[in-house]
Amino acid sequence: GQMIGLSWPLDLGGRKGARVSVAERELAVKQTQVADRERRLAADIRMKAGEVLAAARNLKVTDDLIAANRETQRLISRRVAEGAAPALDEQLLLVEIVRLEAQRAGQAGRLESLRLQLMPLIGLSPALPVGIADTIERAMAVPPQDDAIPRALERRPDLRMARLEESL
């Protein structure tokens, strides 16, 4: 038996250039979509991180006010015991402390809610424990923007999918 081979170009009718051109335009569209998603994500992270830091600062101010009022209450309590101040002054201060503590509870809840919204944006599990530290930034475990954006781009499945579509 003899074998006959036939070679036929896959690019019939000179369409290769047109197909390459279409593929390049599709790639440009995907790259633009990814860049836009990255831009929106960076803006969302900055906005939410700002809200978290503001809420943490408000909580710290309230904590400081509570501590100052408790110290004042101790002083007034001694003055009341010595008869140098009316008992009403101490009662009014105790009411103010209770009001600040209620305000603090609301602020702590808001802070936790904002933190839970931020963590998935930067690719972290919302369930990660967050310890309260001396500085607001450490207390909220908010990474710097230079770390948060690449971390989100690396860890968020939707952004990974966009990158895969871009490379495809």
Side-chain angles (χ1 to χ4, degrees):
Q2 268 191 313
M3 185 174 209
I4 298 176
L6 179 63
S7 148
W8 192 266
L10 292 177
D11 185 28
L12 298 174
R15 303 283 303 152
K16 180 179 179 186
R19 285 195 310 274
V20 168
S21 178
V22 167
E24 287 172 348
R25 285 194 298 273
E26 286 176 352
L27 176 60
V29 167
K30 289 293 183 190
Q31 287 171 333
T32 303
Q33 288 173 339
V34 168
D36 183 57
R37 281 174 118 170
E38 289 175 3
R39 178 192 58 78
R40 283 185 281 136
L41 173 64
D44 290 347
I45 289 172
R46 279 193 296 270
M47 174 103 58
K48 195 57 67 181
E51 289 178 33
V52 167
L53 294 176
R57 190 165 290 120
N58 289 344
L59 186 63
K60 172 126 179 45
V61 166
T62 302
D63 282 341
D64 293 346
L65 279 171
I66 290 171
N69 276 308
R70 284 191 175 140
E71 184 59 32
T72 302
Q73 188 266 331
R74 280 192 286 277
L75 294 172
I76 288 180
S77 180
R78 275 190 236 132
R79 294 194 67 212
V80 167
E82 295 168 359
L88 181 60
D89 288 353
E90 183 179 14
Q91 293 303 313
L92 289 173
L93 198 51
L94 287 171
V95 167
E96 178 63 11
I97 291 170
V98 168
R99 186 191 69 76
L100 284 170
E101 286 173 343
Q103 180 179 325
R104 186 203 183 283
Q107 290 172 337
R110 173 168 165 68
L111 176 58
E112 182 62 11
S113 171
L114 289 169
R115 188 188 72 76
L116 290 173
Q117 293 169 30
L118 175 64
M119 291 300 117
L121 279 178
I122 58 177
L124 295 176
S125 166
L128 285 178
V130 175
I132 300 302
D134 293 334
T135 65
I136 292 172
E137 289 80 10
R138 285 203 342 248
M140 297 324 305
V142 176
Q145 180 180 331
D146 293 342
D147 293 341
I149 293 171
R151 181 182 298 175
L153 292 173
E154 174 187 315
R155 295 185 183 178
R156 282 186 45 174
D158 58 332
L159 299 175
R160 279 199 317 265
M161 178 65 78
R163 291 257 186 201
L164 290 171
E165 286 175 357
E166 176 187 4
S167 66
L168 181 66

